[in-house]
């Protein structure tokens, strides 16, 4: 048994030397390595695909934001008491102590990412998906300033959505066009990050979502809901409900062509809430936000359009995040309206405000 373990560790270290999740030709992700103990306290000696690349000259945050408005903001969150906005088309992420200061008074976390989309933190590190560079960046708080200390290259194609899962003590990063979920962890008491698994949607050797642009996912207990995207065949992928640990597809829910290109999905109370970016042809004029009590009712029109009712309408609603009971909706195409806040109480949408 000890000899087998030594051989396994040797193989893992060889993989690490090749590159993050890739073979020598940089084509396919390495096979995932799993451990039943990972959900309790993951240890590096239990196996991993590769360790992060250390950044020795990482830029220190704190530079003043020179922009006076947001350009396609894609995510809002609060980490360690600080507010962050992913300012996608300005190729930056900005942060501030509150959500009321003018945008040009915020500070810049990083300008090293090309069209980043989301980010997440666990109290020790912050992980950012660097979408157009096919990598993720890791930041740490050093004496009150954020520093880019680590990175991972070759993370699928257009990593697009990042979530920290408290149950697994792991970061889930979705490769939006290859149908792969990259799982990152660090040991307790350390900030050194490791890529520990690559799970393919469908649970097989190849992903049925490879080539389909899927913008995000929703963690719901032991399941993951993938929003609908537009496949290579020009058809909607539908909403896929998968097993969280294997990504095996448990159910596929058909969606109408007018909401084929979804962005975000979440559940609150008795409703599922969905933002839509485009129809089956890629037209953003179909962009909207809806809610339904039953996802299977989407095809029959059993849903409520809420975008024009509660928000200004006419734009493209994008990601939705929640901080202390308040939701934050990012959107684009509407001048003067980039971030909204609202609450949901007893299935009633309340306190709708245009923040930026």
């Amino acid at each position: 048994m000890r000899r087998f373990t030594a051989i396994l560790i040797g193989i893992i270290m060889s993989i690490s030397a090749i590159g993050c999740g890739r073979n020598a030709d940089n084509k396919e992700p390495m096979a995932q390595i799993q451990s039943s103990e990972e959900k309790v306290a993951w240890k590096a000696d239990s196996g991993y695909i590769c360790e992060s690349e250390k950044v020795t000259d990482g830029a220190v945050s704190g530079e003043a934001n020179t922009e006076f408005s947001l350009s396609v903001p894609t995510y809002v969150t609060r980490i360690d008491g600080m507010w962050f906005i992913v300012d996608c088309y300005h190729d930056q992420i900005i942060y501030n102590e509150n959500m009321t200061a003018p945008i040009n008074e915020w500070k810049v976390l990083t300008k090293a990412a090309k069209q980043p989309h989301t980010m997440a933190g666990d109290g020790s590190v912050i992980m950012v998906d660097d979408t157009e560079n096919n990598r993720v960046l890791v930041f740490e708080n050093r004496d009150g300033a954020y520093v880019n200390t680590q990175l991972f290259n070759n993370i699928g194609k257009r990593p697009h959505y990042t979530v920290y899962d408290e149950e697994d003590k792991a970061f889930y990063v979705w490769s939006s066009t290859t149908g792969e979920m990259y799982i990152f962890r660090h040991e307790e008491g350390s900030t050194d990050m490791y890529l520990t698994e690559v799970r393919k949607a469908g649970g097989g050797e190849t992903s049925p979502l490879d080539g389909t642009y899927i913008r995000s996912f929703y963690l719901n207990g032991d399941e993951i809901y993938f929003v609908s995207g537009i496949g290579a065949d020009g058809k909607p992928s539908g909403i896929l409900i998968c097993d969280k640990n294997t990504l095996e597809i448990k159910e596929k829910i058909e969606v109408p062509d007018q909401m084929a290109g979804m962005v975000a999905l979440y559940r609150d109370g008795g409703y599922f809430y969905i933002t839509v970016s485009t129809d089956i042809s890629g037209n953003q004029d179909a962009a909207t936000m809806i809610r339904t009590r039953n996802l299977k009712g989407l095809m029959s029109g059993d849903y409520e359009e809420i975008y024009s009712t509660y928000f200004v309408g006419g734009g493209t609603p994008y990601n939705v995040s929640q901080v202390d009971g308040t939701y934050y909706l990012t959107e684009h195409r509407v001048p003067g309206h980039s971030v909204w806040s609202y609450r949901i109480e007893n299935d009633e949408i309340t306190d709708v405000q245009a923040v930026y």
Side-chain angles (χ1 to χ4, degrees), residues 98-162:
N98 58 64
M99 281 287 286
T100 58
I103 289 298
N104 65 305
E105 293 182 8
W106 288 51
K107 297 179 181 179
V108 176
L109 172 73
T110 183
K111 285 181 174 290
K114 180 65 175 177
Q115 293 188 12
H117 278 72
T118 61
M119 61 189 297
D122 69 346
S124 297
V125 299
I126 293 174
M127 183 163 279
V128 170
D129 46 59
D130 185 358
T131 302
E132 298 301 331
N133 287 322
N134 300 327
R135 63 179 186 171
V136 293
L137 307 178
V138 179
F139 295 83
E140 299 177 48
N141 191 325
R142 299 277 179 86
D143 299 323
Y146 296 100
V147 183
N148 178 200
T149 58
Q150 305 168 68
L151 63 83
F152 291 86
N153 285 303
N154 301 320
I155 303 304
K157 187 174 181 180
R158 302 194 73 239
H160 203 286
Y161 199 73
T162 300

Side-chain angles (χ1 to χ4, degrees), residues 5 43 68 86 197 215 217 230 251 280 305 320 342 355:
T5 301
K43 297 291 185 181
F68 287 83
V86 181
E197 302 173 49
R215 293 176 174 86
F217 60 90
I230 302 170
E251 186 176 6
I280 193 66
E305 196 276 333
V320 180
Y342 62 98
V355 183

Side-chain angles (χ1 to χ4, degrees), residues 111-260:
K111 285 181 174 290
K114 180 65 175 177
Q115 293 188 12
H117 278 72
T118 61
M119 61 189 297
D122 69 346
S124 297
V125 299
I126 293 174
M127 183 163 279
V128 170
D129 46 59
D130 185 358
T131 302
E132 298 301 331
N133 287 322
N134 300 327
R135 63 179 186 171
V136 293
L137 307 178
V138 179
F139 295 83
E140 299 177 48
N141 191 325
R142 299 277 179 86
D143 299 323
Y146 296 100
V147 183
N148 178 200
T149 58
Q150 305 168 68
L151 63 83
F152 291 86
N153 285 303
N154 301 320
I155 303 304
K157 187 174 181 180
R158 302 194 73 239
H160 203 286
Y161 199 73
T162 300
V163 170
Y164 177 70
D165 182 54
E166 182 64 37
E167 180 185 359
D168 276 359
K169 306 295 183 185
F171 289 87
Y172 285 53
V173 179
W174 177 244
S175 171
S176 65
T177 63
T178 63
E180 299 167 315
M181 189 74 78
Y182 287 74
I183 314 296
F184 300 88
R185 295 178 170 90
H186 62 78
E187 293 183 331
E188 291 184 5
S190 172
T191 56
D192 292 338
M193 297 296 299
Y194 298 82
L195 173 62
T196 62
E197 302 173 49
V198 179
R199 302 173 187 166
K200 293 179 181 290
E205 291 298 320
T206 61
S207 171
L209 295 182
D210 190 8
T212 301
Y213 181 29
I214 305 292
R215 293 176 174 86
S216 76
F217 60 90
Y218 168 54
L219 286 175
N220 185 30
D222 293 330
E223 297 177 329
I224 292 183
Y225 290 58
F226 290 101
V227 299
S228 176
I230 302 170
D233 58 1
K235 298 179 181 179
S237 64
I239 297 170
L240 300 182
I241 303 177
C242 299
D243 179 272
K244 175 183 173 183
N245 297 310
T246 65
L247 294 194
E248 292 181 1
I249 299 173
K250 300 171 67 174
E251 186 176 6
K252 177 180 178 179
I253 300 173
E254 302 291 344
V255 303
D257 287 353
Q258 66 264 28
M259 58 180 68

Side-chain angles (χ1 to χ4, degrees), residues 256 258-259 262 266 268 270-276 286-311 317 344 346-350 352:
Q258 66 264 28
M259 58 180 68
M262 296 177 174
Y266 69 94
D268 187 299
Y271 286 93
F272 287 95
Y273 294 77
I274 301 172
T275 58
V276 177
T288 189
M289 184 174 183
I290 63 102
R291 70 176 184 175
T292 181
R293 291 188 180 274
N294 184 1
L295 292 175
K296 295 180 180 179
L298 293 176
M299 286 296 289
S300 62
D302 184 16
Y303 59 86
E304 176 187 357
E305 196 276 333
I306 61 174
Y307 184 41
S308 60
T309 302
Y310 295 97
F311 309 93
I344 301 175
N346 299 318
D347 288 339
E348 293 294 327
I349 298 174
T350 64
V352 179

Side-chain angles (χ1 to χ4, degrees), residues 71-74 85-92 113-117:
S71 181
V72 189
T74 50
I85 299 177
V86 181
D87 193 8
C88 182
Y89 275 27
H90 280 146
D91 297 326
Q92 67 176 8
K114 180 65 175 177
Q115 293 188 12
H117 278 72

